[in-house]
């Protein structure tokens, strides 16, 4: 049914696994589109009470947007790509059923933003988070500039997004990026235990908790548009072309500031 996702429904828990382990589960446009489709199913299917999103394998949750699809991005289609990613991640954030990210390794770039869009993050002890877009001459484009400061505060978000530093699991726990750190074997069981506890509560009240907490951040919609506009602007720079080329050639980028 999906080319890049595996799905499994058991006892009301719907597990969505990003299945591109050979590319560290990088989110190509097709995978993003499938996430959109799968969330339509999640919204509409009564048997689904809660959701776990994870990545295939023990190395990566998702290592970002698929850099091999960046050729040909410019101000206009770059902004559209950002807006489309934001729209899909908004659908996840605003899902009226609980959504837990089971972060089983690298959650970088768009992968980190996917985890941020989920309601709760449970992470394995080998997980690491990061927004390395500035290494590519870019900024986060799927909501990271907005959700990261919401979760960890402005100062920490500024440092993380400007240095492109990776945050390990225990540090993620300290700064509020992770709710729990567990061994990889306990990752899915811990997510299931949280969902099963939530399932004992009133479902309408749960959906209203999600909605009410999200309203708290509603006034940030201009911020999301600014993110998409700046993401588009970055796509027209020489630094972006150099950053992507350097990644493909597995070398350090030489930025000119143009
Ligand atoms: N987009 C496309 N391909 C990606 C990818 C991405 N975001 N992340 C990893 N891959 C691919 C690699 O190109 C490689 O493919 P290849 O075997 O055909 O060369 C494969 O996945 C394995 O990655 P590799 O870099 O060899 O693994 P590693 O263990 O040495 O390093 C990372 C892992 C995650 C540190 C490294 O892959 C990386 O930095 N990825 C990009 C992260 C990023 O910048 N994300 C933000 C994008 S906006």
């Amino acid at each position: 049914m999906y080319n890049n996702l595996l799905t499994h429904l058991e006892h009301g828990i719907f597990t969505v696994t990003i299945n591109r382990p050979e590319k560290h589960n990088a989110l190509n446009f097709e995978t993003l589109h499938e996430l959109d489709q799968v969330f339509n199913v999640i919204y509409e299917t009564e048997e689904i009470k809660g959701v776990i999103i994870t990545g295939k394998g023990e190395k990566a949750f998702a290592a970002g947007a698929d850099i091999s699809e960046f050729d040909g991005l410019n101000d206009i289609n770059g902004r559209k790509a950002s807006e489309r990613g934001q729209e899909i991640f908004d659908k996840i954030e605003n899902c009226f059923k609980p959504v837990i990210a089971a972060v089983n390794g690298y959650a970088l770039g768009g992968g980190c933003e996917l985890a941020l869009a989920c309601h709760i993050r449970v992470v394995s002890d080998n997980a690491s988070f990061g927004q390395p877009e500035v290494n590519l001459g870019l900024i986060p484009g799927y909501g990271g500039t907005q959700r990261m400061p919401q979760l960890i505060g402005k100062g920490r978000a500024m440092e993380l997004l400007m240095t492109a530093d990776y945050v390990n699991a225990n540090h993620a726990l300290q700064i509020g990026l992770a709710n729990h750190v567990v061994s990889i074997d306990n990752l899915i069981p811990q997510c299931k235990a949280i969902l099963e506890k939530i399932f004992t509560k009133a479902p309408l009240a749960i959906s209203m908790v999600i909605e009410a907490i999200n309203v708290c951040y509603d006034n940030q919609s201009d911020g999301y548009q600014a993110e998409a506009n700046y993401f588009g602007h970055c796509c027209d720079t020489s630094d972006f072309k150099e950053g992507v080329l350097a990644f493909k050639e597995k070398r350090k980028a030489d930025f000119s500031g143009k």
Side-chain angles (χ1 to χ4, degrees):
M1 191 172 164
Y2 302 102
N3 290 329
N4 308 293
L5 301 178
L6 303 171
T7 60
H8 177 70
L9 176 63
E10 194 179 0
H11 304 309
I13 297 177
F14 192 64
T15 304
V16 178
T17 305
I18 303 161
N19 187 27
R20 302 185 74 216
E22 69 293 348
K23 292 290 175 195
H24 285 336
N25 300 319
L27 301 170
N28 60 357
F29 294 129
E30 189 184 45
T31 305
L32 280 176
H33 178 66
E34 290 184 354
L35 277 171
D36 189 26
Q37 288 180 314
V38 89
F39 267 84
N40 289 339
V41 172
I42 289 164
Y43 271 64
E44 285 160 13
T45 308
E46 214 175 307
E47 292 75 29
I48 297 175
K49 311 278 182 219
V51 181
I52 297 171
I53 303 181
T54 193
K56 184 79 176 169
E58 296 194 357
K59 226 169 158 196
F61 174 72
D66 191 322
I67 298 167
S68 70
E69 293 183 332
F70 281 2
D71 291 342
L73 279 188
N74 57 36
D75 193 346
I76 293 165
N77 61 18
R79 187 174 66 229
K80 283 215 171 95
S82 171
E83 287 169 351
R84 173 78 179 129
Q86 289 180 359
E87 179 193 7
I88 297 163
F89 287 9
D90 274 1
K91 192 179 276 186
I92 297 175
E93 180 170 59
N94 292 309
C95 182
F96 61 98
K97 306 171 187 186
V99 182
I100 302 185
V103 180
N104 56 308
Y106 290 116
L108 302 176
C112 184
E113 292 167 294
L114 173 61
L116 296 178
C118 296
H119 301 139
I120 293 171
R121 282 148 296 284
V122 179
V123 321
S124 58
D125 42 26
N126 68 327
S128 57
F129 290 84
Q131 297 286 168
E133 286 84 354
V134 289
N135 291 332
L136 299 167
L138 276 179
I139 65 166
Y142 299 160
T145 64
Q146 307 302 299
R147 292 192 182 99
M148 188 65 85
Q150 288 167 16
L151 259 186
I152 68 173
K154 183 175 171 183
R156 288 192 178 109
M158 284 282 187
E159 184 177 344
L160 204 61
L161 270 62
M162 287 197 277
T163 60
D165 280 349
Y166 291 179
V167 172
N168 68 26
N170 284 325
H171 190 199
L173 184 67
Q174 264 173 33
I175 63 178
L177 203 43
N179 293 63
H180 303 275
V181 178
V182 294
S183 68
I184 191 102
D185 291 341
N186 283 325
L187 185 62
I188 298 298
Q190 174 77 15
C191 294
K192 286 185 172 166
I194 295 171
L195 285 175
E196 275 154 13
K197 186 184 274 188
I198 295 172
F199 293 169
T200 66
K201 320 298 177 194
L204 277 178
I206 295 301
S207 64
M208 288 177 206
V209 164
I210 295 168
E211 206 175 325
I213 289 180
N214 283 341
V215 167
C216 185
Y217 301 99
D218 253 6
N219 59 357
Q220 310 240 339
S221 53
D222 286 347
Y224 285 101
Q225 192 55 58
E227 179 185 270
N229 294 346
Y230 290 130
F231 185 91
H233 292 340
C234 287
C235 291
D236 260 356
T237 63
S238 305
D239 280 350
F240 170 57
K241 288 171 188 68
E242 163 61 8
V244 172
L245 193 63
F247 177 78
K248 287 182 180 161
E249 293 175 352
K250 300 186 189 285
R251 61 170 171 83
K252 207 164 172 291
D254 180 16
F255 292 125
S256 65
K258 295 198 177 83

